[in-house]
């Protein structure tokens, strides 16, 4: 049976996958850890984008993101 990737992501982020459910109440601790890591990484990326003006150019994005260097 094919799975829907959007549903899979939603279940992962809400802690309702089979792997989470087997952990019992510990799933909330692991779920909180994933959310903290996700939000912290977004905050760090945003802060770096604000402070480093070279991060805001399309040329920098294209060069670092697609050239492999």
């Amino acid at each position: 049976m094919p799975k829907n990737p959007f549903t899979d992501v939603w279940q992962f982020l809400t802690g309702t996958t089979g792997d989470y459910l087997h952990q019992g109440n510990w799933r909330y601790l692991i779920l909180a850890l994933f959310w903290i890591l996700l939000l912290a990484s977004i905050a760090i990326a945003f802060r770096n984008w604000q402070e480093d003006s070279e991060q805001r150019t399309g040329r920098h994005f294209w060069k670092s993101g697609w050239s492999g260097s």
Side-chain angles (χ1 to χ4, degrees):
M1 176 175 178
K3 296 209 173 199
N4 182 349
F6 298 109
T7 303
D8 289 344
V9 169
W10 178 253
Q11 288 178 341
F12 175 76
L13 293 175
T14 58
T16 56
T17 63
D19 292 333
Y20 274 124
L21 296 175
H22 287 296
Q23 295 174 357
N25 287 336
W26 285 101
R27 72 180 178 179
Y28 298 114
L29 177 65
I30 295 171
L31 182 63
L33 175 67
F34 281 126
W35 273 102
I36 289 168
L37 289 173
L38 176 67
L39 295 175
S41 64
I42 291 171
I44 291 168
F46 183 73
R47 182 77 172 188
N48 185 47
W49 179 79
Q50 277 186 325
E51 291 183 2
D52 189 0
S53 61
E54 286 193 23
Q55 295 286 326
R56 294 188 290 261
T57 65
R59 182 180 182 119
H60 181 268
F61 173 75
W62 184 261
K63 182 179 178 186
S64 66
W66 301 104
S67 69
S69 58

